[in-house]
Amino acid sequence: MAVSFEGYERRIDKINKVLAENGISSLEEAEQICLDKGVNPREIVEGVQSIAFENAKWAYVCGCAIAIKKGAKSASEAAAMIGEGLQAFCVPGSVAEDRKVGKGHGDLGAMLLGDDTECFAFLAGHESFAAAEGAIGIALNANKARKKPLRVILNCASS
């Protein structure tokens, strides 16, 4: 399968560098690492957010393969490592790269998967339905890995 996603040319060198730092030669190998463990990140992303862009699906492939290669021992630990893969997909020189948005998403996932976090409150504006959809998906799935259910508050504002 040929890997293709929005902004491929602007992102691929950085992605390949992060993969190589983790002993992975390509996104195709990253996907195979995941599939060999019975995990299909692209399908999971699409299941949570059907409108997700291809680069989001491949970013999770990258992150999941990193977590598998590093031997993550818990869902919370894996989430933080997945953030490394998400960060690799931030366009070099962009605000997202500068603000470490990918790493922040991984850290948020790690926090929500940790049993010391009791509640997740999320505010979404009318223009960020996709973000709200993703937050709902996180909340629904977090409890599969938690001992104590996560309480969730989702407030969708409109103007």
Side-chain angles (χ1 to χ4, degrees), residues 54-153:
E54 284 299 311
N55 55 333
K57 296 174 192 177
W58 284 107
Y60 276 93
V61 166
C62 179
C64 288
I66 290 169
I68 291 167
K69 285 286 274 189
K70 286 186 170 184
K73 302 288 185 231
S74 69
S76 181
E77 190 176 300
M81 293 176 191
I82 289 169
E84 295 175 39
L86 303 181
Q87 188 64 35
F89 272 74
C90 292
V91 173
S94 68
V95 172
E97 180 186 52
D98 188 48
R99 293 186 179 171
K100 308 246 182 281
V101 170
K103 183 89 174 81
H105 277 71
D107 291 344
L108 172 62
M111 183 182 73
L112 296 177
L113 290 164
D115 282 314
D116 53 332
T117 301
E118 295 183 15
C119 183
F120 174 43
F122 185 82
L123 172 63
H126 71 281
E127 72 285 348
S128 58
F129 176 76
E133 190 176 43
I136 291 167
I138 289 168
L140 289 173
N141 288 297
N143 287 334
K144 294 177 184 176
R146 294 173 52 91
K147 294 178 187 127
K148 186 170 142 187
L150 180 67
R151 292 181 300 134
V152 179
I153 301 166

